[in-house]
Amino acid sequence: MTSTAHERSTNGTRRIIVVGTGMLSPRDITAAGVEAIRSADVVVYSATWPGIKQWLSSLGGRQIMDISHLYQLNGVDSDNYDAILHSLLDLSREHESVTYLVPGTPHLGVSNTSALVQLARDTADLVVEVVPGVSSFDTIATDLDVDYLSRGTTVIDSNRLLMYRVKLDPTLGVLIYHPASVGNARVDYEEPWRSNNLALLQDYLLSTFDAQHPYYAVLSASAPGRSAEVTRGELGQLAADARVFQYGSSMYLPPSTDFDLDKEFVRRLTQTMAPA
C-alpha cells in the first residue's frame, strides 16, 4: 500500500515518509518536505548538518532522533542500510507517522527507499510516501555546465558497471556514481583511496575510451560556505589519481565520438520548422 498524497488519512495505518533534504540542507528541502517534518510524530535522520536539531525543533518536531550511529564506518554498506530499515520499521510500530530524512533525493543511491516502498506494497497496514529533493544528479549538471539530454548520458554506479559488464557507448556522456568505492562493499568516508580498487574501473573504461580521454571528478557543494570541487584528469592516469576521489565524488566522461546523423530524419524534422 503506497501513497504520495501527504494529506491522506491513514485510518490507523503506519506511515513512513522519506524526505530528500537536498544537497545543501535545509535550503534544498521542499515545502512538501517541511510539511512532512511538521506533521510527523517522530523525525529521524542518519546524515547530519550543522544546526539540524535546532532547525527541526524550530519546525515544531515532536520527537527528533539521530540514528547516524547505524551508518558505521568500515561497515558493509548493505548491512548499514538494513539496520536503518529495521529501525524505521520498529519506530513505525510505536508511532503512527515517522518522517525519515535522507541526503539528496530518496531514490538516487539510497537503497532502502525502494525496499520500503516494496514493503508497503506487501503490507496492508503500512503506507510509504516519498518526497524528492535536489540531488547530486541536478547539481553535477550545474557544476559541469552539462545538459545530460543534449548528447545523451549513461548514468550508472561504478560497481554495477563492472559487475554487469555494461557496454558503454562512446557517443554518449557517462556519469559514474561512487568511483571512490570500486570493488569495495565497506563504507570508508574518511580515507576512501586506501580501499578503492580504481585500477579495475580504469581498465574497463580504457576498453571504450583512449588513455588521453578526459574525466571530471565532481564533488558538489554539500555544506554552507563550500564550493563544488571539479578536477580534470585523463583516463590513463585514473588509478594514480585515487586521492582525487572523495567519498561523495562522482565522475563524468564526455562523449568521445560524434553521432552518425540520420539525414532523412533531420530533413523531416526541419520540414516541421517551416511556416504552416
Side-chain angles (χ1 to χ4, degrees), residues 16-90:
I16 298 175
I17 308 172
V18 188
V19 174
T21 62
M23 295 298 292
L24 278 171
S25 308
R27 185 199 69 177
D28 292 345
I29 301 178
T30 64
V34 169
E35 178 56 29
I37 292 168
R38 284 179 170 150
S39 63
D41 294 323
V42 58
V43 180
V44 182
Y45 62 91
S46 57
T48 65
W49 69 79
I52 181 172
K53 283 190 176 180
Q54 294 89 331
W55 184 78
L56 291 173
S57 296
S58 73
L59 294 180
R62 303 173 203 175
Q63 185 174 345
I64 301 166
M65 292 187 62
D66 179 357
I67 59 170
S68 58
H69 63 280
L70 296 177
Y71 196 72
Q72 295 183 2
L73 179 66
N74 296 320
V76 176
D77 203 35
S78 57
D79 290 347
N80 286 344
Y81 280 123
D82 283 346
I84 291 171
L85 178 64
H86 291 138
S87 177
L88 293 174
L89 292 173
D90 288 344

Side-chain angles (χ1 to χ4, degrees), residues 248-263:
S249 296
S250 298
M251 182 169 69
Y252 178 75
L253 285 73
S256 66
T257 60
D258 290 330
F259 287 111
D260 292 326
L261 284 180
D262 185 329
K263 294 182 180 179

